[in-house]
Amino acid sequence: MTIRLQTGGSACLYEQIYEHIKKEIREGKLLAGERLPSTRFLAEYLQVSRSTVDYAYSQLLAEGYIESRPYRGYFVCSMEELVGMEDLGRSAVGSQIHGRDDTERAGGGQYYDIRQLGDRKQPGDRYDGTVKDGEWMEPVVSERASTDQPHVRCDFSPYDIDMSGFPFSVWKKITKNILTYANSDLFSRGQAQGDYELRVTISRYLHSSRGVNCSPEQIIVGAGNDYLLMLLEKILGRHVRIAMENPTYLRSYRIFQSFAYDIVTVDMDEYGMRVEPLERKKVQAAYVMPSHQFPTGVVMPIRRRLELLRWAAGAPDRYLIEDDYDSEFRFRGKPIPALQASDELGKVIYLGSFSKSIAPAIRVSFMVLPEPLLQVYKRDCAFYSCTVSRIDQSILNEFIRDGYFERHLNKMRKIYRAKHDLMLEELLPFQKRFTVSGENAGLHLLLTAREQMSEEELVCRAEEQGVKVYGLSAGMRMTETKAATVLLGFGGLAPEQITEGIRRLKTAWEIGTEK
Amino acid sequence: MTIRLQTGGSACLYEQIYEHIKKEIREGKLLAGERLPSTRFLAEYLQVSRSTVDYAYSQLLAEGYIESRPYRGYFVCSMEELVGMEDLGRSAVGSQIHGRDDTERAGGGQYYDIRQLGDRKQPGDRYDGTVKDGEWMEPVVSERASTDQPHVRCDFSPYDIDMSGFPFSVWKKITKNILTYANSDLFSRGQAQGDYELRVTISRYLHSSRGVNCSPEQIIVGAGNDYLLMLLEKILGRHVRIAMENPTYLRSYRIFQSFAYDIVTVDMDEYGMRVEPLERKKVQAAYVMPSHQFPTGVVMPIRRRLELLRWAAGAPDRYLIEDDYDSEFRFRGKPIPALQASDELGKVIYLGSFSKSIAPAIRVSFMVLPEPLLQVYKRDCAFYSCTVSRIDQSILNEFIRDGYFERHLNKMRKIYRAKHDLMLEELLPFQKRFTVSGENAGLHLLLTAREQMSEEELVCRAEEQGVKVYGLSAGMRMTETKAATVLLGFGGLAPEQITEGIRRLKTAWEIGTEK
């Protein structure tokens, strides 16, 4: 392996190492099962610090290009799907790779083992409608929600975000400017897909930060993911058999259910949605969250992504719906690229939103349609007017275009990372009795009980101490779970609330008082 | 008839006369076919000016309580449906009235005779997607629309509105205030049905200005009518046989078509949708615009409204969808009350929007659900998040609550009335060859050719002179029409543009040069 590092270039050192190894793997120059040099060896060889190499390796690990085997080092993952995909899309750039096939069972270590979840047939009605609200869930009837739980002092809602870091003054300034220079045009209905300028800005942002390849023409701007899914129903049609990860995001599940879609729940393994059932159950579309699955936090490795893309390529009407809901918040390494970034055949419908990254109230989401579906949209749905006001679109456009969005994201990443790290630290005493998972990204962690106990008991005992935690069975549909698991969101909590909340949880669950 | 007028009361004199006679008719004290005193007689008797009585009579005429017979005077219309409805809803308050049955054929004179429309089997593809855009229509693909018609100098679009009168400074001030005192709460998702405060404000406005009786709990706020209809599909279900007026508003037609609803087009007579086919064709829902039908401008008289309500009362799953799209703009007399105002059994789904009254870009519409459908919404759809941002909802709420909306409406009513009157005046020379209809309300008029000619010819010849007019067959679906009819909208045109545009139309259609 020869890596030529450029010290004066725009890419930092760790990124050059990461990119180089990724390229070698994708082109088949590094073969599956091949052992990478140790981080110490490579650091000395390249004359860089060891942490730089560590950083590059951990990013490759997170994206599933390499795997770590205890006491043996780092190895290239089996990538047979990779070349296959490229064969379909364009001519092969490397030799066919036949790798080991045991990575599926090897276990990523850092991933949440979904098979450990407890079996709960009742979907925990009690919490079904009372969770607090972000992009990800909403009280079914909220008018009297506040009176239902008078004693909650600390709410570890996985749906809340931190608005204290929001640049209100900038937002106000932009709003003021736009209204000052507004002409009647801005108050007209505008284009059905959303204003072209905003779509240009979104396509640039998606390309640079998520690796998504799309033109502004492919983007549909809409007021929230729910609305865009309603529009997608009109595009995909009525009788769709759709696969969803199990567990998954309940709101989307309910929406597909309201479409009377035939929903096939596919159990996740440690890499995300299993591909085999898709073929067997004659599924047409699969709804996945590859960058940070909700609720498990699983990051889908490249191998599984390519398997999914290969499945989708197997028939013209197969599509993957990628919900990239909180990809901005990754706390170690670079963000994981979107699944759409690996899609060369137009099989991915990409859904993104500013609900988590700016604010739920913004009500701006977007959908990137592959070419065949774009044609259907233009034929059958282009008369549906855009659901976002032009004023709001203009404000958002300036906010992103002028760099405020990126600055805001950087700031929030730091804030959330500090909270995330504080959570991990405070949860250390819990590790004797719970597995902590879903770390390194997003705004929540998961605690899975090692011993036999009931999720409801965990939730109720926490509530007695004035703490609200979220049972996995309550928020997501489960077909088979074993171990009690609760979600602890930290996005909306101040550090002192986190400390206080976890102190109360210790009392509730008698942590540290074990004999 | 004894009318006691209160000079010190809050209701003005004409309103007291109007209310009194209406009450007498509804209670059966004035019988169908009974002749009213002449306006001169009543004016002398009550010691008020004759124009006051004229005003009261013309309002009763517009709402269909009385009819005018040439040289004979004013007569009470047949109201047999009225008491019937009240029988169903509560105990009868008057004796059963059996009136004449010839009002159906008598002809209201002021109404647009839909049976005169020309027969056009082709739906005028050419104009199908290029009309300019307001709440009521949108280019199917707008990206290149502007290059399609380079020579249009004057666009009589029925979809445009006048933004020059919009109180930008007030809007800006409210926005600034709201952002200044905004807390994180305002950036949260908010309630699915829309913010409670806004719904309270809307319900008050609807009651005072449209006679609509509803609680804030019945209101769903959404980003545009298209979205609310999508939501309504989830409430009403998939397999609905829906009746639409013929001609009707094309956008709604397309939307119901995209739902795969079984659409029954019901030809209008001079009172609006005929009721007989609803029963015969086993329709479940009827989409109507009773206050000012689009495109014909027909105002549905009270008798027909009650017939429709009676039909709806005939089965539990029958509903009327009332699209009250431009009811704010009535230029003579009081606004015609909404159909919902006469609904005592919860059979009317009321749709309203701020697109015409404020601006299309505002993207705020609302739907009032009757109780049984509200239960379905709460059960099946309450997890769909609201599509309007809380900031926009707060701005709108203050704008209405603090009286700016009413002031704006009064101002716009004057502006549009001036344009409307100018149109009528400028169109006088056209009356030899065209019937002008749809007057007294809304932002467009209709011209129907008296002689045998083609709609396309009218449109093309206008276009050659740089004027865009809208063929009825192009914008609405027609199953049978005879006479060429074009729509002339004036909302978005300045007075001098109206004068210039009509001057050009004279040249195009050789008006005033006839031998």
Side-chain angles (χ1 to χ4, degrees), chain A residues 450-476:
Chain A
R450 292 184 196 277
E451 62 219 84
Q452 193 63 39
M453 61 192 306
S454 123
E455 205 172 286
E456 203 176 342
E457 192 192 338
L458 286 176
V459 172
C460 287
R461 278 166 60 187
E463 205 169 300
E464 281 162 18
Q465 294 296 321
V467 179
K468 191 154 168 48
V469 298
Y470 292 75
L472 195 58
S473 315
M476 346 303 137

Side-chain angles (χ1 to χ4, degrees), chain B residues 92-120:
Chain B
V93 288
S95 58
Q96 188 82 13
I97 303 167
H98 295 284
R100 306 175 318 107
D101 200 18
D102 59 353
T103 46
E104 186 103 11
R105 287 175 299 278
Q110 67 173 308
Y111 301 127
Y112 179 63
D113 186 353
I114 207 74
R115 288 173 296 199
Q116 297 300 311
L117 295 177
D119 186 16
R120 297 185 62 82

Side-chain angles (χ1 to χ4, degrees), chain A residues 133-135 138 140 168 187 189 192 226 233-234 238 251 258-259 361 363 382-387 389 392, chain B residues 133-135 138 140 168 187 189 192 223 226 233-234 238 251 258-259 361 363 382-386 389 392:
Chain A
D133 191 19
E135 170 62 16
E138 181 151 357
V140 169
F168 285 100
F187 284 84
R189 179 191 297 253
D226 302 5
E233 183 199 12
K234 307 286 171 218
R238 289 199 162 177
R251 180 191 290 276
S258 83
F259 296 167
R363 307 312 301 131
F383 54 86
Y384 284 109
S385 355
C386 186
T387 42
S389 91
D392 292 352
Chain B
D133 191 20
E135 170 61 17
E138 181 152 355
V140 169
F168 285 100
F187 284 83
R189 180 191 298 252
D226 302 6
E233 184 198 10
K234 307 287 172 219
R238 287 199 164 178
R251 180 191 290 276
S258 82
F259 297 169
R363 309 310 302 132
F383 55 87
Y384 284 109
S385 354
C386 186
S389 91
D392 292 352

Side-chain angles (χ1 to χ4, degrees), chain A residues 469-484:
Chain A
V469 298
Y470 292 75
L472 195 58
S473 315
M476 346 303 137
R477 182 190 150 95
M478 304 293 297
T479 49
E480 45 170 296
T481 54
K482 278 171 201 152

Side-chain angles (χ1 to χ4, degrees), chain B residues 291-355:
Chain B
S291 299
H292 188 234
Q293 206 267 349
F294 190 90
T296 63
V298 165
V299 178
M300 192 184 286
I302 183 72
R303 180 196 152 102
R304 181 61 56 86
R305 292 172 183 229
L306 295 173
E307 280 173 19
L308 276 175
L309 287 167
R310 189 177 187 82
W311 163 80
D317 64 338
R318 285 184 189 167
Y319 288 100
L320 295 163
I321 304 168
E322 172 176 30
D323 191 339
D324 203 28
Y325 73 104
D326 74 349
S327 52
E328 287 90 356
F329 301 122
R330 185 162 171 78
F331 308 123
R332 303 279 180 271
K334 296 201 313 172
I336 306 291
L339 172 62
Q340 204 267 8
S342 306
D343 176 26
E344 287 164 3
L345 298 174
K347 302 306 276 182
V348 174
I349 300 154
Y350 179 90
L351 275 171
S353 153
F354 296 101
S355 292

Side-chain angles (χ1 to χ4, degrees), chain A residues 28-60:
Chain A
K29 289 171 187 163
L30 276 170
L31 294 177
E34 203 168 308
R35 188 170 174 276
L36 291 186
S38 73
T39 52
R40 196 176 53 188
F41 176 86
L42 191 61
E44 277 172 15
Y45 175 78
L46 293 173
Q47 291 294 299
V48 297
S49 82
R50 193 167 158 192
S51 67
T52 300
V53 179
D54 272 340
Y55 216 50
Y57 275 29
S58 66
Q59 185 69 26
L60 290 164

